[in-house]
Amino acid sequence: MTPSNTPLADLCRTMRRIRTFEERVAELYARGLSAGSMLHLSIGEEAAAAGVGAAMQPQDSFTTHHRGHGIFLARGAEPSRMMAEIAGRDAGYCRGKGGSMHIADMALGHLGANAIVGGGIPHVVGAGLSYKRQKNGAISVAFFGDGAMQQGILYESMNMAALWDLPVLFVCVNNQYGMGTRIDLATRSVEFDRRAEAFGLSAKMVDGEDVEAVFHTAQALADEARAGRPGFMAVSCFRFFGHGRMDKSPYRTAEEEAAGRKRDPIARARDTLVERGLASAAALDALDAEVVREMNATIDFAAAAEAPPYASMFRDVYGPGEPEPEPLQRRLDRILAIA
Ligand SMILES: Cc1ncc(C[n+]2csc(CCOP(=O)(O)OP(=O)(O)O)c2C)c(N)n1
Ligand SMILES: [Mg+2]
């Protein structure tokens, strides 16, 4: 049987594509080809992206936190254009000006990744309000980390979404850490669903090792949100590597890391497919090899792509109707005069 005939196989493949893509992102960084110094990998957290992403529809939109590569891939991003963006190339989704942490694409409903913890959350409330008025059947989904559970903007956003019956879903990817701070050192209450319920949202906690559970929970909450009952879900998972590429996680013991990495949603999905007789290990290996080929090509594409031309520095940065930015040469002259 071909594994792609089952939803679990599709979810497994999406997770494999995310992980392999991010392994290539790490390679891009190690080779000095990434733009900017910060890169955040979601390896270990793939079930949140794949499971919720699969429960969304083409008309839906979303925002992500700074660890959002996987979510965008799960929503149909073209990996080579993503890699080009992360490398700061003109062929990237934002012509190299967004990079890993500010990637966006209106065509795929990506309203923007955001480096400010909690920063992307209120945007989905605005999107949800517009969808409600347009009656277009779309929902808007905010993805954020457990760190944002301690940000006030989340509570203003949940309150407004509930009060106005907006088609919105809040998704907390709880990887147990905000940078080097373990979640129980950041809050006395880790029962996040109870916080959301207090605002009148439908709320669920789900195990991020089990991608099917994430998918089914997201589907149920997305259906409710589409009917004007906003929801919240927290996906519990483990960040396999450091916060950023330079972080060697000195705040975690080797035992904790080893135990955390055993909570691997991809290994679990593979085992389940084989146990249920839905795929052979050999067929899954062949699919993995195909994904590796696909993702290897993204590095070659990004490495060969051009940087944006110097003269385009301010193009696409300001919206139509916004005041013209100061011409580049004049700005440089002014800065040099001050220096
Ligand atoms: C408002 C704000 N405060 C602090 C930071 C610095 N910062 C960047 S990422 C991060 C941790 C975020 O943790 P979490 O939300 O759990 O996301 P994760 O990195 O675990 O995916 C912090 C504190 C920031 N970017 N924005
Ligand atoms: Mg976190």
Side-chain angles (χ1 to χ4, degrees), residues 308-330:
Y310 189 56
S312 77
M313 188 180 284
F314 294 119
R315 201 180 302 150
D316 307 317
V317 173
Y318 296 88
E322 286 186 47
E324 275 289 304
E326 189 178 1
L328 179 60
Q329 194 56 54
R330 203 181 330 136

Side-chain angles (χ1 to χ4, degrees), residues 14-27:
T14 303
M15 293 195 293
R16 174 55 75 195
R17 287 181 77 240
I18 293 169
R19 184 166 299 182
T20 310
F21 176 80
E22 292 211 304
E23 286 166 356
R24 294 294 94 80
V25 171
E27 183 188 331

Side-chain angles (χ1 to χ4, degrees), residues 45 67 145-147 173-179 239:
E45 308 177 12
R67 206 178 295 283
D146 45 285
V173 185
N174 178 8
N175 61 10
Q176 320 301 323
Y177 281 86
M179 300 187 83
R239 191 190 72 206

Side-chain angles (χ1 to χ4, degrees), residues 208-240:
E209 195 188 327
D210 182 351
V211 71
E212 284 181 304
V214 176
F215 172 60
H216 293 306
T217 303
Q219 246 187 350
L221 288 171
D223 285 350
E224 276 200 56
R226 234 173 269 288
R229 289 187 301 278
F232 167 93
M233 61 190 279
V235 184
S236 174
C237 50
F238 188 78
R239 191 190 72 206
F240 281 17

Side-chain angles (χ1 to χ4, degrees), residues 14-57:
T14 303
M15 293 195 293
R16 174 55 75 195
R17 287 181 77 240
I18 293 169
R19 184 166 299 182
T20 310
F21 176 80
E22 292 211 304
E23 286 166 356
R24 294 294 94 80
V25 171
E27 183 188 331
L28 190 86
Y29 177 85
R31 286 169 57 181
L33 291 169
S34 61
S37 58
M38 287 302 281
L39 277 176
H40 308 91
L41 304 183
S42 64
I43 292 179
E45 308 177 12
E46 295 90 347
V52 181
M56 291 169 63
Q57 296 180 4

